[in-house]
Amino acid sequence: MTTARSVEQLRDGTRDAAFVRLPLAEADDLDVIEIGRDPLTVALPATHRLARRRFMTPADLQGQRIVFWPREQGPGFYDWVVTHIYGGTLPDITRVEPDTEQMVRAVARRAGCAVTTRSRASLLSARGVVFKRFAPDVPAAPLGLAWRASDSSPPLRRLVAIARKLSAR
């Protein structure tokens, strides 16, 4: 589920807590803790000149055609990627796809390159696509647990306590 949809369900009360991509945009009514980080990776056509690289850098993506996802699915995380990978300037987005699977399919059709997280990439494979890690100095994407600030139910308090304990490690 997208971060935006999870936040919507938190606000309408159909969800008590949600795992989300951080940072959250306009979420003053929610409490959030960072629970981990997910390294970013790049999906490239296997024939791309960068496909032989061991590691990618943000500079490698300058001037490349990019397949991206809709900003409204998670504006905070979208902006975070634009800042940390593209230096705050929108890249040459050639296609917008609704999810990572569709983004990877577009990469296989040579529509461009796509940035995703290592956890998502590990679940996907597509003929003609290679995934390359970013260099170790590139920040990993923050993951969080979010819930309504006004909710103090005992099960939710226990979940948050467990999440805080695990994230402290």
Side-chain angles (χ1 to χ4, degrees):
M1 182 174 301
T2 68
T3 292
R5 181 75 177 123
S6 293
V7 167
E8 181 182 305
Q9 288 184 348
L10 286 170
R11 287 183 172 139
D12 72 17
T14 57
R15 182 175 296 264
D16 295 322
F19 295 104
V20 294
R21 297 274 177 204
L22 299 177
L24 288 183
E26 301 176 22
D28 294 339
D29 56 331
L30 301 176
D31 282 337
V32 180
I33 57 170
E34 184 176 313
I35 58 171
R37 294 212 161 227
D38 193 0
L40 296 174
T41 187
V42 179
L44 299 162
T47 58
H48 195 284
R49 66 177 177 80
L50 297 172
R52 295 183 190 156
R53 294 252 177 120
R54 182 171 179 210
F55 292 110
M56 300 290 291
T57 68
D60 292 329
L61 294 179
Q62 297 302 313
Q64 298 296 317
R65 296 175 324 163
I66 301 298
V67 178
F68 225 121
W69 66 89
R71 184 177 183 275
E72 60 270 10
Q73 289 183 350
F77 182 59
Y78 183 103
D79 294 346
W80 186 93
V81 170
V82 168
T83 297
H84 287 88
I85 301 302
Y86 303 108
T89 303
L90 277 178
D92 178 15
I93 300 172
T94 58
R95 288 190 63 138
V96 175
E97 295 290 347
D99 56 46
T100 306
E101 185 175 341
Q102 297 300 318
M103 289 169 54
V104 170
R105 286 183 184 158
V107 170
R109 291 187 304 273
R110 298 184 181 155
C113 307
V115 173
T116 187
T117 59
R118 190 181 307 167
S119 65
R120 291 293 297 149
S122 71
L123 301 173
L124 301 171
S125 68
R127 178 178 236 138
V129 175
V130 296
F131 293 95
K132 295 294 176 176
R133 289 188 271 172
F134 275 100
D137 62 334
V138 174
L143 298 169
L145 177 68
W147 64 97
R148 287 181 309 284
S150 61
D151 190 341
S152 61
S153 71
L156 178 63
R157 284 197 314 252
R158 282 194 295 278
L159 174 64
V160 170
I162 292 167
R164 286 186 197 283
K165 185 177 179 180
L166 293 173
S167 68
R169 291 183 188 171

